[in-house]
Structures are given as structure tokens and as C-alpha cells.
Amino acid sequence: MTTSQTAEITGLYRYPIKGLTPEALLRAPLRSGQTLPADRRYAIENGPSGFDPEAPEWKPKIQFLMLARNERLASLDGRFDDATNRLTIRKHGQIVASGDLETAAGRAAIEVYFTENFQPELKGPPKVLSGRDHSFSDLARKVVSIINLNSVRAIEAMLGGTAVNPLRFRANLYVKGWPAWSELDLVGQTLAIGQARLKVVKRIVRCPATNVDPVTAKRDLEIPPTLSRHLGHMDCGIYAEVVADGEIGVGDAVAVEEPRLV
């Protein structure tokens, strides 16, 4: 087998609660048809959505608290512990809420914080949702999102040299080594990372969440309109489905598999 366009993973992240803090990983297992472990496992419902935890179905992100509309989420530092299912939220270094998201009491503790602190953005009572193996992804399928850092550098140039924190794009994998925007041509191709294989299924259309600085929580850039003006579209990054199991980590090579000749 030959490969081309090799890149390298420089960052690996999961987002246990949709809209809240990214958690950096050094290594993670990938399983066919699944996201990174616990990625978007929970979401905070913003008013009744009709989501049924016993029969989970995809809902559009407008049903949840999200950075695209609720930039104040970026001012919260959330940490999720897999062993206890406990989410701890800090603001300015102080714990403001904590609870086991698999218990009614634990979810209520988190919901009380958002009820008291996120008016008038709420459309109804905020509710912590869990769908067991469900993923509250922006896409109605379980995927891994990938950002090409050279494309982020190209956006900086479009913005006249303004620094752009790559975490604005809330990706699972950040890679270096691909030419800017070349990842957009990989739809339909298969990526090899060690034993793992991921099929690229879609380009990511960026939304206003990328305008929010993940450190200051300020809406200070206009990335989707900038992409549209310069490129004629608002795409940056790709979604890929895991089609073969394997463990991946920071420093691993990402190769594009050459199609086999029949």
C-alpha cells in the first residue's frame, strides 16, 4: 500500500458536553462507527426539544446551549471525569457547579446554575441531556472532525495577520503538513492513522461559533463571512467516519490512502 499527503496530529480533543470546554488528550481509541470516547456525550437543552433519552434521535444544535448564540459558555471551564460521570464547572478559577450527570440530583445541580446565570438566553428550563451512546454532534452521524492548521494560517492572512486560535473550530484532531485547503478535496478518501482508518464524508461549513474567542469568550471576529468573501464558501475542516479500529495520538502520522487498482 502506498500513501501520500502525510500530515501529523498536533492536537487531540474531545468535548464531553456540547458547547463547553475542550479536553486535551494525548491518545485515544477509535472504534468503527463511533466518535472519540465521550465526545458530545451530553448537551444542555435550551427549552423543550422533544429529545427522548430512551430513543435518542439527532436534534439540530439550535435546541441546545451553544457557542454560536451563547458565547458566554466559553467563559466556563468544564471538566468531566469518566470514572464518576461528574462535571465540574469553574469560572475565574472558582467552582460554580458540580454534579454526576448520570443521576437526577447531579443533573439538577448543573441545571440550577444555568437557570440562574443564563437569562434571558433561555427559551425554557435548561436540562442536561444524556443519550447513553448518543452523540450530540452537529451532524446526524457519528464523526471525527479534523482541522488543517495551514488552513487556519490562511484565514489569519485573510484577516490581515490577526491571530486565530485553532480551538475556535472545536475539532477533534488538529493536523499539520497538508497544504492550506487541501483537506477539502479529501471527501471520499480514506485516512490511515496507525491501524485506524477514517473515511472523509463531508466538509465542515463554519457557523458563528468560530467568531467566539475560546479564551476571552468575546465575539471578536467574522470568520464565516471572511471565508465567503475570499473563497466563495464557508468551509474549513472535514468530518470523517471511523471505519476501522485503532488507537491514535498526538504525533501520529495521518496518511491519505491511495486507491487500490483493480
Side-chain angles (χ1 to χ4, degrees):
M1 180 185 300
T2 60
T3 55
S4 62
Q5 289 185 265
T6 300
E8 179 187 329
I9 299 174
T10 63
L12 184 61
Y13 294 86
R14 69 172 189 173
Y15 300 78
I17 295 81
K18 186 177 184 68
L20 294 187
T21 318
E23 295 186 359
L25 306 169
L26 290 178
R27 300 199 66 78
L30 289 181
R31 297 292 178 262
S32 183
Q34 299 298 317
T35 64
L36 282 181
D39 189 56
R40 275 84 173 184
R41 177 176 167 183
Y42 302 95
I44 302 169
E45 184 182 57
N46 187 5
S49 69
F51 181 83
D52 181 358
E54 298 304 318
E57 294 182 352
W58 181 83
K59 299 288 183 181
K61 62 184 175 183
I62 192 67
Q63 302 285 351
F64 313 114
L65 288 178
M66 57 173 181
L67 284 176
R69 290 194 172 185
N70 315 111
E71 62 265 28
R72 287 196 294 142
L73 291 172
S75 68
L76 304 177
D77 178 18
R79 290 290 178 266
F80 179 72
D81 181 73
D82 293 82
T84 63
N85 299 311
R86 178 169 292 275
L87 172 66
T88 301
I89 301 176
R90 292 178 171 83
K91 186 168 184 178
H92 306 310
Q94 301 297 314
I95 294 177
V96 294
S98 182
D100 178 346
L101 299 188
E102 292 300 319
T103 68
R107 291 190 295 271
I110 302 299
E111 293 161 359
V112 165
Y113 174 79
F114 284 99
T115 299
E116 294 176 348
N117 292 277
F118 272 72
Q119 301 287 354
E121 294 149 279
L122 298 176
K123 301 175 183 177
K127 184 178 179 181
V128 176
L129 298 181
S130 170
R132 299 175 184 169
D133 195 37
H134 181 73
S135 174
F136 293 94
S137 169
D138 287 352
L139 206 63
R141 58 208 296 182
K142 292 183 178 180
V143 291
V144 172
S145 56
I146 304 172
I147 282 288
N148 176 6
L149 291 176
N150 277 332
S151 297
V152 178
R153 302 289 84 82
I155 293 172
E156 291 179 337
M158 294 175 186
L159 293 169
T162 299
V164 174
N165 187 333
L167 290 181
R168 287 177 183 263
F169 298 92
R170 297 180 67 78
N172 297 126
L173 277 66
Y174 292 88
V175 303
K176 67 177 184 180
W178 286 337
W181 310 118
S182 64
E183 72 280 11
L184 300 181
D185 297 324
L186 294 177
V187 175
Q189 300 292 314
T190 298
L191 306 179
I193 311 174
Q195 297 298 312
R197 296 294 183 271
L198 301 88
K199 184 174 182 180
V200 181
V201 295
K202 194 176 185 298
R203 292 155 60 145
I204 304 176
V205 182
R206 304 320 313 197
C207 74
T210 56
N211 296 334
V212 179
D213 187 307
V215 176
T216 66
K218 293 181 179 179
R219 196 178 297 275
D220 57 358
L221 294 178
E222 294 190 347
I223 288 179
T226 298
L227 291 170
S228 183
R229 285 195 303 271
H230 286 263
L231 302 177
H233 60 70
M234 296 188 294
D235 302 345
C236 180
I238 49 178
Y239 288 122
E241 288 185 332
V242 180
V243 295
D245 297 358
E247 186 175 87
I248 65 171
V250 174
D252 285 357
V254 182
V256 180
E257 289 193 341
E258 295 287 352
R260 288 185 173 91
L261 298 177
V262 178

